[in-house]
Amino acid sequence: MLEDRDKSVREEGKKLVVEMYRWIGDALKPQLTALKPVQVSELESEFEKLAGEKAVQTRYLRSQQELKEKMAAAGDEEEDQEDDDEPDGAAEIDPTDLMDPVNILSKLPADFYEKVEAKKWQERKQAMELLLPLTKHPKLEAGDYHDLMKALKKIIGKDTNVMIVALAGQCMAGLANGLKKKFSPFAVACTETILEKFKEKKINVVSALREAVDAIYSSTSLESLQETISTALANKNPNVKAETAAFLGRCFCYCTPALLNKKLVKSFATDLLRTLNEPDPTVRDNSAEALAALLKVVGEKMLLPFLGDIDNLKMQKIKEASEKVELKVKIPTTKSKAKAAPAAVPSKPVAVRGGGRVVPTAAARPAPAKAAPRKGKPAGGGGGRSEASKPPVEAEEAEMGLETAMEVAGETLGAEVVTQVADSNWKERLAAMDSIVETVSELDTSAPCQAIVRVIACQKPGLKDNNFQVLKLKITVIQTLAENTKFSRTSCEACLSDLVDKLGDPKNGTSASNCLTAMAEAASLEWLGPEVMTFAFKQKSPKVQEAALNWLAQAVTDFGLIVKPKSVIADIKKGLAHTNPGVRNAAVSLCGVIHLHMGPALRTFLEDEKPALLQQIDAEIEKQTMMLARFYHQNKGRSAPAPTRKRRVFGGSRGGGGGGGGDDGVDAGDLDDEDPTSEDVANSNVQDLVPRTSIAPLITDELVAELADKNWKVRSEALTKLSGVISSAKFITADWGDLPGAITARLGDTNKNLAVEALKVVGQLVAAAGPHCSRHTRTVVPGVLLLLGDAKVNVRAAAQSVLESWTEQIKPKDLLEGDTCVDALKAGTVFLKAALLPFIAQLLNEAPPKSINKEDLANYVPHVYAGLEDRSADVRKAAGEAVLPFMLHLGYEGMLKHTSKVKPASKNALMATLDKARQSLPAKPAPASAPRQPAKPGAKSTAARPQTTGGSGASAAPGAKKPARVTTAPAASSRKGADDQDTSPLLPVNGQKQQRASDEQKLKVLRWDFTAPRQEFITQLKDQMTAAGLNRTLIANMFHKDFNFHKKSIDALNEDLMENLEACVCNLDMILRWMSLRFFDTNPSVIIKGMDYLTSVFTCLSEDGYRLMEFEAYSFLPFIVQKFGDPKDGIRGPARNIVRLICNIYPAGKVAPYLMEGLKTKNARQRAECLEALGGLIEHAGMSVCQPSPGVALKEVAKQISDKDKVVRNAALNALVQVYFIEGEKLYKYVGQLSSKDMGFLEERIKQAGKNRPVIRKPEPVSQIPSSGDLGGPTRPGAVRGGNRVVPTPANEFNPMAARGGTAAPDSNGGHDVNSLLQR
């Protein structure tokens, strides 16, 4: 159009391009490169005029009325805030989505890789110059880029020519931009190489590398790059640290708070704090800018706890830089949270008053109805947060002296009792303690616990009392305070040393142990455990040390391993080195408990112990493992026992022994969901403790070359060498150098023996790297999956073992997200599908809900559906087992979306499988919504009809013993009780129909007008039924995917009709609309049953004198007219009968336009039926049915005379004959100009009809409506049946007034003799 010779065409084309630019912006520019420079410059000038202009939709489709109202309702006050929270205008379009991908691998010269490896720098430079223009394509086709990336990495990492390195960096940036997410398998390795190369000072090299690393980040995530970035920030070279910090700052600008979890924030903040103190000013400045960007994204509340004791000058610098940071993405803000934030933080810190009691100041004192939140932590938030992931923030309680403590305690306990505690007579002390025990048991959470503890423990004799009865009461008081008051660490410290000393007491040791456990619930085991062990090993008594080790073992069992593993291992080593056998045995027992949480990694730290001790430790580990399997049935697949205790919420009541009672306690059932509190946190801490070695320096170019050698013997020797490297390293980091690509190539080796050897090497890598292998999942696992589909059993078994080992070390989402497994299922063998589908199903069963991206999981569903129809029985079985796990994560509706692409022949079987799986879904909790509006009292349904269950009606006379029929709800199963059944009336009596009509007239809802029902219409109707209060089970049946439930719904409505006609009238519009949806079903039994029900409905409405509303008619008549063209007589006949009945309750003149609309279809049968019905209307209702005027309507009818179908021609002629009998020669004026042939047909038919027309005698009214099979109704006297001919009476015997509904016809019934209407 822009090159057309006509100037007006070019101008209009130019306007079109400019308008397109208004909507999609710069995404259009790449498509204009083929235009002439002059045209491009003209368009560019036009584009500049539109700078900043925002395209806004001004007209809306009918389906967008909700959007229109939403836009109109937006207030002026909220516009600025909404602009910040919501994207402007339409969603931004990626220009690459409009382009075709380019395959650059096929365009590389044959000698490209030889030139890359050439010794002459000119040849290497020439190779890069050939590659560079190819990488500039904005969209690249996916392929095998491993060799190319390996070559570029080698140049960037090792080439000494800076020009070539810069070119390689530009090429890598182009590849990353072109491949986008497909570049992710190479992202980590390439980033590592680039960050290391930042030691180069040449500006052209640094610029190219910056461009490359920024482009790479768009294909991966900070979580994947975290280890690489941390390593680079610890590099000795200041340039590397400076550029890495700058790169990290740029990455933060593209992040949202949701992408930066607490673990990442802590890791990056710690690394940047270290570089913030570097001597190099560039490193410091870049680190400060990175922290500023991080602060801008996550906010002070999340970041400040990790910044520690940073000086005010640096903090001020970071905050100033944060204000200047420009984020590249919009961070959503919640208005309600922003408004409520100031109220959540007290304006002043809590003050210490009354000798150390924690008392809120007047400004910070909360309302009486709520407990004061702990500083830095929301109220009630202590139960759901990992103790190990965040150090607990304690209430500020100053340490008080003994005199102050006695004074404060005297106010609560009494001055005499406080003095009596220190009496030299043990009986006096015993009496005082009895009084204190009674008083303390009645105190609330605000008791002065520190003062009481100091009075008991610090007054001589304190906890060193020689009388065991007094000592036991003192320990009991401390335990009661720890369980029921705000027991702070300051209170713990006042008595901890003496209490630990009493662990070895033969009479009160158990009480001391229980007291320590209560203190751990109050002050956290993470802090108390190391303190107890420190005091214990300072004691000379081995009994105290033995008891302390036993207490710690029990505490870890109760709370989980929330103590830092490093300190526990140190205590274990001290115990194992002790000369006392009891202490050694206690340490061995602690080893068995810790092993359940840490796994085999614990054994690594004990390798230097004596063989006899190691043998004893192994026996204890085996014993604990067997006990775990036998007794911890609630373990739910965990490798460690589920914790039964947890730190109490600050200000709460006792957590309860073994699971807690009380308001703030935590029961075992709640703790099952708190996996990160113990096992996962412990494992992550253990992995940090394990000393690891990087094998990257050992993966030399020579070894990689040997792995790719043509000689299988050389490849075998290389695998053996590699196995030795891994074995000697024992524990390795995630840095594997070029090994991932090389070992993946060997997994696809044609020599299956070598492929199996490569699998063994991968198994070694997994065992040595542990969780660090997750970085290489997308590179190595595809090779393992390839062997999982091998024809040889031993190869598949080895691949299965390696895959299981790999997935044990990573999260399920690392494997399932992306295309790794999807591509395997797409191109895999029968063996692969049969093995991989159950494996994925198992991972999904173990994965928590919402832990895996639904979009990625949705990519598997088509392959699961294809597996259900596979020729192999094993694949079909595997796919069937995988349906439920996928449904657990995607939901039934999510699975249902993908059935549209299934072949129609397979859809019924698939729907049956989905419905079967749906019954096994866990029951959803009942929504806390307002109860459904009940039927009005006095309605017919409540008096005459027994209540129905499960969506079926029951018709029985009052007092009859016939039981109501029960129909099962679509999603009902054995897990649902009687309480889930809706026993309310099927159709309530209400006055909401008029409101629905008003809403549709005002376009507040979609008008019921479509050629095929779309989802929004179905959803709207379902919502309307729910709002109107229809029986919930009935609604579920009506919108079920199985047609059998539709039939049950119709049966229920039919049984309910006679007894509850008033309710049917109140909801008639929704019933008719639902029936119109059923007309689009492919199952004829539902349609026939629906026709019978509609016949009964309109018969009852006619007898009741009801008049059909306009909005009920237009939402039903067009669809019933469509059934005139159905090939089945059993559907066409009832459809004609229903239209005939509608004319009793709706004017015939308004029915005729729908019949005229039916003439526009291509279906000849429908056109013929509409013409027959129209002729009958004209015969019995006169010319008033010809709308919008007789001339317009009859011209349309006359066109059908020339139809090629004989039945259509006869029907059109018969209709025009009826007009002739009424209007005479005026008919010719109405039909206008006809061809001579058509006019001859019409005149001949009128002539024949005039000769043979008998006298019309109206039949007596009949009490029954003709059945659907009696299409013509009762035979008129003198009428001749046969073909499509109408045999009229002579003109002199015809009474036109009777036909027009005049008074001259005694049987005219006001012009609407409904029993003979539309009859032939």
Side-chain angles (χ1 to χ4, degrees):
M1 292 174 64
L2 293 175
E3 296 180 356
D4 195 272
R5 289 184 293 182
D6 192 325
K7 182 179 179 181
S8 59
V9 174
R10 293 198 304 271
E11 288 299 322
E12 292 299 325
K14 182 179 174 182
K15 291 179 182 178
L16 176 61
V17 173
V18 171
E19 183 63 24
M20 291 169 63
Y21 180 81
R22 286 183 65 237
W23 287 94
I24 65 176
D26 292 336
L28 182 66
K29 289 185 178 180
Q31 307 298 317
L32 306 177
T33 54
L35 298 178
K36 296 177 181 179
V38 177
Q39 293 173 323
V40 173
S41 61
E42 289 180 1
L43 290 173
E44 288 287 353
S45 62
E46 292 294 332
F47 295 162
E48 290 175 2
K49 297 177 183 178
L50 300 175
E53 184 176 340
K54 177 181 173 183
V56 179
Q57 186 175 354
T58 56
R59 300 185 69 178
Y60 298 86
L61 301 174
R62 289 178 179 173
S63 59
Q64 293 179 310
Q65 294 306 311
E66 185 177 349
L67 174 62
K68 180 180 179 181
E69 292 177 8
K70 189 189 231 178
M71 299 290 289
D76 296 335
E77 297 179 359
E78 300 179 356
E79 285 181 358
D80 296 336
Q81 294 179 359
E82 288 178 358
D83 289 342
D84 294 338
D85 296 342
E86 299 176 1
D88 296 335
E92 291 186 8
I93 297 177
D94 188 350
T96 58
D97 292 341
L98 307 175
M99 302 178 186
D100 295 326
V102 178
N103 184 359
I104 64 170
L105 294 176
S106 60
K107 298 180 180 181
L108 292 176
D111 59 346
F112 174 78
Y113 293 104
E114 294 178 4
K115 289 184 177 181
V116 169
E117 298 286 343
K119 293 183 179 180
K120 293 184 178 181
W121 69 268
Q122 291 91 343
E123 294 184 15
R124 299 199 302 275
K125 182 172 179 287
Q126 183 181 0
M128 291 298 101
E129 290 174 343
L130 288 172
L131 176 62
L132 183 59
L134 295 177
T135 60
K136 294 300 182 182
H137 289 287
K139 189 174 184 179
L140 302 180
E141 186 175 316
D144 186 3
Y145 288 87
H146 285 86
D147 292 338
L148 181 57
M149 296 310 305
K150 178 182 173 182
L152 291 176
K153 274 177 55 188
K154 185 175 181 180
I155 289 178
I156 293 174
K158 299 182 179 180
D159 205 301
T160 56
N161 191 300
V162 292
M163 291 189 297
I164 300 175
V165 173
L167 287 172
Q170 294 174 18
C171 292
M172 188 171 286
L175 289 171
N177 287 325
L179 291 173
K180 298 191 181 302
K181 291 298 180 183
K182 297 290 184 181
F183 191 85
S184 58
F186 318 107
V188 176
C190 292
T191 303
E192 188 175 343
T193 302
I194 292 173
L195 294 180
E196 179 68 25
K197 193 62 177 180
F198 272 130
K199 61 188 177 184
E200 182 63 51
K201 297 181 180 179
K202 298 288 184 181
I203 189 62
N204 61 329
V205 175
V206 173
S207 299
L209 295 180
R210 284 176 186 165
E211 180 186 357
V213 77
D214 288 348
I216 290 171
Y217 171 69
S218 63
S219 67
T220 183
S221 64
L222 274 180
E223 187 174 5
S224 302
L225 299 177
Q226 184 258 323
E227 292 183 14
T228 302
I229 293 174
S230 296
T231 303
L233 287 173
N235 196 290
K236 295 180 180 180
N237 192 302
N239 289 339
V240 173
K241 287 188 277 194
E243 289 297 332
T244 303
F247 165 64
L248 190 55
R250 295 194 298 272
C251 292
F252 288 150
C253 293
Y254 288 92
C255 293
T256 61
L259 297 177
L260 294 171
N261 55 41
K262 196 161 287 187
K263 180 182 176 183
L264 283 177
V265 172
K266 180 180 180 181
S267 173
F268 289 134
T270 304
D271 293 334
L272 290 171
L273 272 179
R274 187 175 61 251
T275 55
L276 190 63
N277 297 316
E278 287 285 328
D280 189 281
T282 307
V283 178
R284 294 198 303 269
D285 292 344
N286 289 355
S287 300
E289 291 176 2
L291 283 171
L294 183 59
L295 179 64
K296 181 88 170 184
V297 176
V298 301
E300 293 186 8
K301 183 177 180 181
M302 179 178 284
L303 181 60
L304 290 184
F306 303 116
L307 294 184
D309 299 328
I310 185 172
D311 60 75
N312 294 333
L313 195 61
K314 291 179 180 177
M315 192 65 221
Q316 187 64 27
K317 180 179 179 181
I318 291 172
K319 289 184 177 180
E320 290 177 359
S322 176
E323 296 175 358
K324 301 176 182 178
V325 172
E326 294 183 5
L327 300 181
K328 306 298 183 182
V329 293
K330 291 187 177 180
I331 299 179
T333 57
T334 306
K335 300 172 189 176
S336 60
K337 288 183 180 179
K339 294 177 181 177
V345 182
S347 58
K348 295 182 180 180
V350 288
V352 179
R353 204 167 54 188
R357 293 177 59 188
V358 180
V359 182
T361 61
R365 186 177 289 115
K370 297 182 180 179
R374 180 173 296 192
K375 181 180 178 181
K377 192 173 189 177
R385 193 176 294 267
S386 169
E387 295 286 350
S389 63
K390 179 179 178 181
V393 180
E394 297 303 315
E396 295 180 357
E397 186 175 13
E399 184 176 348
M400 63 177 69
L402 182 58
E403 293 182 1
T404 307
M406 293 177 65
E407 181 183 349
V408 174
E411 297 175 2
T412 304
L413 305 177
E416 293 183 4
V417 174
V418 170
T419 306
Q420 198 175 356
V421 170
D423 197 282
S424 58
N425 188 343
W426 69 268
K427 293 183 180 179
E428 295 293 328
R429 296 198 304 273
L430 183 62
M433 289 311 305
D434 284 333
S435 174
I436 292 176
V437 168
E438 184 178 353
T439 303
V440 167
S441 63
E442 298 175 355
L443 294 178
D444 58 11
T445 57
S446 61
C449 56
Q450 184 189 167
I452 298 175
V453 169
R454 289 192 179 278
V455 165
I456 294 173
C458 299
Q459 277 195 108
K460 290 184 179 181
L463 293 180
K464 295 182 180 180
D465 202 306
N466 293 328
N467 188 284
F468 75 93
Q469 293 174 301
V470 177
L471 178 61
K472 184 172 184 178
L473 290 178
K474 289 183 177 182
I475 295 175
T476 301
V477 169
I478 296 174
Q479 180 178 347
T480 304
L481 289 171
E483 290 173 346
N484 300 321
T485 66
K486 298 175 182 178
F487 202 82
S488 65
R489 290 184 183 178
T490 308
S491 302
C492 291
E493 291 168 350
C495 62
L496 187 58
S497 177
D498 293 338
L499 193 59
V500 171
D501 184 35
K502 294 304 174 183
L503 285 173
D505 191 300
K507 294 183 179 179
N508 291 309
T510 304
S511 299
S513 178
N514 293 336
C515 184
L516 287 174
T517 302
M519 291 166 64
E521 284 186 332
S524 90
L525 181 65
E526 182 184 9
W527 170 80
L528 187 66
E531 293 292 322
V532 169
M533 297 312 300
T534 300
F535 285 121
F537 280 105
K538 286 181 180 179
Q539 300 287 336
K540 294 182 179 180
S541 172
K543 290 185 179 180
V544 174
Q545 297 167 1
E546 179 183 352
L549 288 168
N550 288 332
W551 172 82
L552 183 59
Q554 184 61 43
V556 170
T557 302
D558 291 343
F559 290 89
L561 186 58
I562 57 177
V563 183
K564 292 182 179 178
K566 188 174 183 179
S567 64
V568 177
I569 293 170
D571 294 331
I572 289 174
K573 287 190 173 185
K574 289 179 183 178
L576 293 175
H578 205 281
T579 55
N580 187 285
V583 178
R584 289 200 303 271
N585 291 337
V588 170
S589 298
L590 182 57
C591 280
V593 174
I594 300 300
H595 181 272
L596 296 177
H597 297 268
M598 291 179 60
L602 174 65
R603 200 64 171 66
T604 308
F605 300 101
L606 305 175
E607 291 293 339
D608 54 348
E609 298 295 335
K610 296 178 181 179
L613 268 179
L614 290 178
Q615 188 175 0
Q616 192 177 354
I617 291 170
D618 291 339
E620 181 65 23
I621 289 173
E622 185 177 357
K623 173 186 172 184
Q624 291 287 348
T625 305
M626 292 179 63
M627 289 179 62
L628 178 70
R630 184 179 301 174
F631 296 112
Y632 292 104
H633 299 294
Q634 75 276 23
N635 201 39
K636 298 184 180 179
R638 302 159 64 110
S639 61
T644 56
R645 289 179 182 267
K646 191 174 182 181
R647 183 179 181 181
R648 285 186 291 105
V649 177
F650 186 75
S653 60
R654 178 182 177 180
D663 296 337
D664 294 317
V666 180
D667 57 25
D670 293 336
L671 286 166
D672 286 342
D673 296 330
E674 296 293 337
D675 294 341
T677 309
S678 55
E679 184 181 1
D680 291 346
V681 172
N683 287 340
S684 63
N685 289 338
V686 170
Q687 297 301 332
D688 294 337
L689 291 174
V690 175
R692 297 186 177 275
T693 306
S694 174
I695 61 172
L698 303 177
I699 308 301
T700 61
D701 293 341
E702 292 75 12
L703 181 58
V704 174
E706 290 176 4
L707 285 171
D709 197 273
K710 294 181 180 179
N711 190 333
W712 69 268
K713 293 181 179 179
V714 177
R715 300 199 300 274
S716 178
E717 291 175 0
L719 288 171
T720 304
K721 290 180 184 178
L722 183 58
S723 178
V725 167
I726 300 169
S727 299
S728 60
K730 192 174 291 187
F731 294 103
I732 63 176
T733 64
D735 186 8
W736 297 355
D738 294 331
L739 180 58
I743 197 66
T744 302
R746 294 287 58 77
L747 290 172
D749 203 306
T750 54
N751 188 323
K752 293 303 177 184
N753 292 328
L754 290 184
V756 173
E757 289 297 322
L759 277 173
K760 294 178 180 178
V761 172
V762 173
Q764 285 183 283
L765 287 169
V766 174
H772 298 278
C773 68
S774 62
R775 179 192 296 186
H776 307 288
T777 298
R778 295 189 180 182
T779 305
V780 179
V781 170
V784 178
L785 294 177
L786 181 66
L787 293 178
L788 191 62
D790 196 86
K792 295 184 177 181
V793 178
N794 64 319
V795 177
R796 295 203 302 273
Q800 181 82 22
S801 176
V802 170
L803 186 60
E804 290 174 355
S805 301
W806 193 288
T807 51
E808 285 176 2
Q809 301 295 339
I810 64 174
K811 298 177 182 178
K813 71 172 187 176
D814 294 336
L815 177 65
L816 298 180
E817 290 184 357
D819 301 330
T820 304
C821 295
V822 175
D823 292 342
L825 289 173
K826 189 184 299 182
T829 63
V830 172
F831 300 110
L832 174 62
K833 295 176 183 176
L836 185 56
L837 284 173
F839 183 76
I840 294 174
Q842 182 181 355
L843 289 179
L844 291 176
N845 282 328
E846 296 172 355
K850 300 181 180 179
S851 61
I852 304 175
N853 188 357
K854 287 188 177 183
E855 293 181 2
D856 290 310
L857 281 184
N859 295 332
Y860 291 86
V861 177
H863 302 290
V864 174
Y865 289 168
L868 292 172
E869 300 177 342
D870 199 273
R871 295 181 180 179
S872 170
D874 293 336
V875 176
R876 293 197 301 272
K877 180 181 177 183
E881 294 173 352
V883 170
L884 179 58
F886 275 99
M887 193 177 290
L888 288 172
H889 289 263
L890 295 174
Y892 179 77
E893 296 297 332
M895 299 286 286
L896 205 61
K897 291 178 183 177
H898 299 274
T899 57
S900 58
K901 298 180 181 179
V902 178
K903 297 178 181 178
S906 310
K907 198 163 186 178
N908 288 339
L910 176 59
M911 292 302 302
T913 303
L914 293 180
D915 289 337
K916 182 179 179 182
R918 187 184 190 183
Q919 296 176 1
S920 301
L921 289 175
K924 294 182 179 179
S929 58
R932 188 174 55 82
Q933 181 181 354
K936 292 182 179 180
K940 294 181 181 180
S941 58
T942 58
R945 184 178 63 84
Q947 291 184 343
T948 57
T949 304
S952 65
S955 59
K961 296 183 179 179
K962 181 180 178 181
R965 187 175 59 166
V966 178
T967 304
T968 305
S973 65
S974 59
R975 59 186 166 77
K976 286 194 174 184
D979 293 339
D980 295 325
Q981 302 290 343
D982 188 356
T983 58
S984 61
L986 292 184
L987 302 174
V989 178
N990 54 42
Q992 298 183 21
K993 182 164 68 171
Q994 194 62 42
Q995 182 60 42
R996 291 193 294 271
S998 175
D999 290 345
E1000 188 159 324
Q1001 184 179 6
K1002 296 177 181 178
L1003 298 179
K1004 291 184 178 181
V1005 295
L1006 299 177
R1007 182 183 172 91
W1008 199 259
D1009 184 13
F1010 47 79
T1011 54
R1014 300 193 301 274
Q1015 184 60 42
E1016 55 260 36
F1017 287 99
I1018 300 172
T1019 303
Q1020 174 180 296
L1021 180 59
K1022 187 174 182 180
D1023 292 343
Q1024 288 177 338
M1025 288 184 171
T1026 304
L1030 271 69
N1031 184 285
R1032 293 194 304 272
T1033 310
L1034 175 65
I1035 296 175
N1037 286 350
M1038 293 174 84
F1039 292 94
H1040 200 278
K1041 299 298 180 182
D1042 190 348
F1043 70 91
N1044 288 316
F1045 289 94
H1046 299 162
K1047 293 166 70 174
K1048 292 176 183 178
S1049 301
I1050 296 172
D1051 288 338
L1053 291 171
N1054 206 11
E1055 293 175 7
D1056 188 59
L1057 176 63
M1058 297 300 177
E1059 301 171 355
N1060 203 9
L1061 181 60
E1062 182 181 355
C1064 178
V1065 170
C1066 292
N1067 301 279
L1068 181 61
D1069 59 313
M1070 294 185 292
I1071 294 174
L1072 294 179
R1073 293 181 184 213
W1074 182 73
M1075 287 305 309
S1076 69
L1077 293 178
R1078 301 283 67 80
F1079 291 160
F1080 291 90
D1081 288 348
T1082 55
N1083 191 291
S1085 61
V1086 176
I1087 302 176
I1088 292 173
K1089 189 177 287 289
M1091 293 288 189
D1092 292 340
Y1093 169 65
L1094 289 172
T1095 301
S1096 301
V1097 168
F1098 288 116
T1099 301
C1100 293
L1101 293 176
S1102 177
E1103 294 173 355
D1104 197 51
Y1106 178 74
R1107 289 301 171 195
L1108 199 66
M1109 295 176 65
E1110 184 71 27
F1111 99 109
E1112 292 171 335
Y1114 74 66
S1115 62
F1116 177 73
L1117 278 172
F1119 305 104
I1120 191 67
V1121 169
Q1122 287 182 11
K1123 304 314 290 181
F1124 280 14
D1126 196 279
K1128 296 180 178 62
D1129 275 342
I1131 295 176
R1132 280 201 318 276
R1136 292 197 303 269
N1137 196 26
I1138 288 170
V1139 173
R1140 182 187 308 125
L1141 291 169
I1142 288 176
C1143 290
N1144 285 336
I1145 59 177
Y1146 193 64
K1150 293 186 177 181
V1151 174
Y1154 295 102
L1155 298 175
M1156 294 296 299
E1157 194 68 23
L1159 298 180
K1160 299 178 181 179
T1161 182
K1162 294 181 180 179
N1163 188 326
R1165 189 180 290 109
Q1166 180 178 335
R1167 295 200 304 274
E1169 293 290 349
C1170 288
L1171 288 168
E1172 291 281 359
L1174 193 61
L1177 286 179
I1178 294 172
E1179 180 181 1
H1180 294 283
M1183 292 298 294
S1184 61
V1185 302
C1186 297
Q1187 298 294 333
S1189 66
V1192 174
L1194 295 177
K1195 283 185 176 66
E1196 190 65 31
V1197 173
K1199 291 179 183 178
Q1200 308 300 322
I1201 299 175
S1202 59
D1203 196 274
K1204 61 182 179 180
D1205 189 277
K1206 180 181 179 182
V1207 180
V1208 176
R1209 293 198 302 271
N1210 286 334
L1213 291 170
N1214 291 341
L1216 293 175
V1217 165
Q1218 299 303 326
V1219 177
Y1220 180 80
F1221 289 149
I1222 298 173
E1223 298 291 341
E1225 297 295 330
K1226 202 173 181 179
L1227 166 68
Y1228 299 111
K1229 177 182 177 182
Y1230 289 145
V1231 299
Q1233 293 290 333
L1234 293 178
S1235 65
S1236 56
K1237 181 180 179 182
D1238 293 347
M1239 184 62 75
F1241 283 147
L1242 178 58
E1243 291 175 348
E1244 181 64 24
R1245 179 59 59 89
I1246 292 173
K1247 184 178 179 181
Q1248 293 177 359
K1251 290 180 181 178
N1252 302 322
R1253 187 174 187 189
V1255 177
I1256 298 178
R1257 294 188 179 90
K1258 297 291 181 181
E1260 294 295 330
V1262 292
S1263 58
Q1264 290 185 339
I1265 299 298
S1267 66
S1268 59
D1270 187 7
L1271 305 183
T1275 306
R1276 298 189 302 274
V1280 180
R1281 289 186 179 273
N1284 289 294
R1285 289 188 65 228
V1286 176
V1287 185
T1289 58
N1292 58 352
E1293 298 181 8
F1294 177 67
N1295 187 349
M1297 293 300 295
R1300 299 187 189 192
T1303 56
D1307 295 330
S1308 63
N1309 194 21
H1312 295 283
D1313 183 6
V1314 298
N1315 290 319
S1316 57
L1317 188 66
L1318 296 180
Q1319 291 183 359
R1320 289 289 300 136

